[in-house]
Amino acid sequence: MKRQIQVIIAAAAIISAAAAANAENWPFFKNNALRCGTMPTETVSTARLAGQREWKTQLWQNIASSPAVYKGKVYFGSNDGVVYALNLNTGQQVWKFTTDNWVTSSPAVVNGRVYVGSFDSRLYCLNADTGEQIWKFTTSNSVATSPAVADDAVYFGSNDGYVYAVSIKTGWQKWKFKTAAVTGSPVVADGVVYIGNRNGKMYAIDTATGKLKWRAIVGGPITAAPAVADGLLYFTSQDGKIYCARIKHQAVIWRYDAKAQIETAPLVHNGK
């Protein structure tokens, strides 16, 4: 029997912060293509961050997809195979789009389009206002990663062992890069895609050509998105360490051993 889930989307704090900032957008997983996970402090009203629930809605399956906030709507996926758009202020459903399997990918919302992956092996491009499908791109295995959008392409990985660049206009493949199973999400910065795989490799791939620029090898699977800030690349691994690589030198410059498996993505703010 399906288990009823009462869902509070990304906790009241995120909803309150967005609403307090006149629907300040949070259009990607961790806010932007750099995955730093921060927003300008001047856009957040302290009074709205008291932790009080503003609304809730009910679904019938678990949710592993982080929400995106864009122009008064909250977008997320669910294990019922559906992508939802809810009204930011009321929690009422605006639209839903049904895929053929779980949606754990966190949507990216850019210029009126929603980009989101599904365990049905596809990446979907949807109209952000109506939920209508604009195009879909099919891989050979599940797409659990949260896509990154930069310039004219959307970048994502698949469990089929490839990293893809797909045209945002047509949904046609621009290039693909062979790796191993990818469940972590990409970062795009200065013409480079940074993405890890389950074999413990962090890749830096040229966005224009799909060619490898450099890579770092660590002792465990990399299943979370990295973050880029001030010329440094931060990423975690299930070997229990967080790593910092200097992009200019294409090398890891320090690591910290947490002595426990890490599956979460790093957050970078004010030099920390």
Side-chain angles (χ1 to χ4, degrees):
M1 182 175 66
K2 292 183 178 179
R3 181 162 56 93
Q4 186 179 32
I5 306 293
Q6 290 188 339
V7 182
I8 306 172
I9 305 302
I14 290 180
I15 300 301
S16 298
N22 294 319
E24 178 73 23
N25 294 330
W26 188 278
F28 295 98
F29 172 59
K30 294 183 68 186
N31 192 30
N32 55 45
L34 300 181
R35 311 290 193 198
C36 290
T38 60
M39 67 190 303
T41 54
E42 63 269 18
T43 67
V44 181
S45 169
T46 304
R48 298 299 297 278
L49 294 178
Q52 296 180 349
R53 185 176 68 204
E54 295 203 347
W55 50 260
K56 67 179 180 182
T57 191
Q58 293 181 339
L59 300 179
W60 294 94
Q61 285 284 355
N62 293 328
I63 296 176
S65 167
S66 299
V69 176
Y70 181 80
K71 292 188 175 180
K73 300 181 186 68
V74 182
Y75 303 87
F76 64 98
S78 170
N79 283 4
D80 60 6
V82 176
V83 181
Y84 292 90
L86 306 183
N87 183 285
L88 175 65
N89 295 312
T90 67
Q92 295 298 307
Q93 181 178 299
V94 179
W95 56 256
K96 67 177 183 179
F97 176 86
T98 301
T99 75
D100 293 327
N101 211 322
W102 295 353
V103 180
T104 62
S105 170
S106 300
V109 190
V110 181
N111 294 331
R113 293 186 173 192
V114 179
Y115 303 90
V116 63
S118 170
F119 268 63
D120 68 7
S121 303
R122 299 181 180 95
L123 181 85
Y124 292 91
C125 174
L126 310 175
N127 183 296
D129 291 327
T130 66
E132 294 180 358
Q133 179 181 300
I134 299 173
W135 54 255
K136 64 183 177 183
F137 179 87
T138 303
T139 73
S140 299
N141 209 321
S142 57
V143 179
T145 66
S146 302
V149 180
D151 299 323
D152 62 347
V154 53
Y155 304 91
F156 64 98
S158 169
N159 272 318
D160 66 4
Y162 285 94
V163 178
Y164 293 90
V166 173
S167 167
I168 59 175
K169 294 180 180 179
T170 64
W172 294 351
Q173 180 181 299
K174 298 170 74 71
W175 53 256
K176 66 178 181 179
F177 177 85
K178 178 63 176 175
T179 171
V182 179
T183 55
S185 301
V187 162
V188 181
D190 299 321
V192 180
V193 181
Y194 300 96
I195 191 167
N197 72 5
R198 298 195 64 85
N199 283 356
K201 297 181 176 68
M202 174 59 65
Y203 293 97
I205 306 167
D206 189 285
T207 57
T209 65
K211 303 296 184 181
L212 179 69
K213 295 178 72 69
W214 60 277
R215 69 179 182 178
I217 302 176
V218 300
I222 300 170
T223 58
V228 172
D230 301 322
L232 300 174
L233 175 72
Y234 302 89
F235 62 98
T236 61
S237 169
Q238 289 185 18
D239 66 4
K241 299 180 179 68
I242 180 168
Y243 295 86
C244 175
R246 190 176 301 280
I247 293 173
K248 180 179 179 181
H249 298 154
Q250 302 181 354
V252 172
I253 59 174
W254 61 255
R255 69 201 71 195
Y256 175 79
D257 190 352
K259 303 186 185 304
Q261 181 172 302
I262 305 174
E263 297 185 10
T264 58
L267 183 151
V268 182
H269 183 60
N270 285 342
K272 300 180 180 66

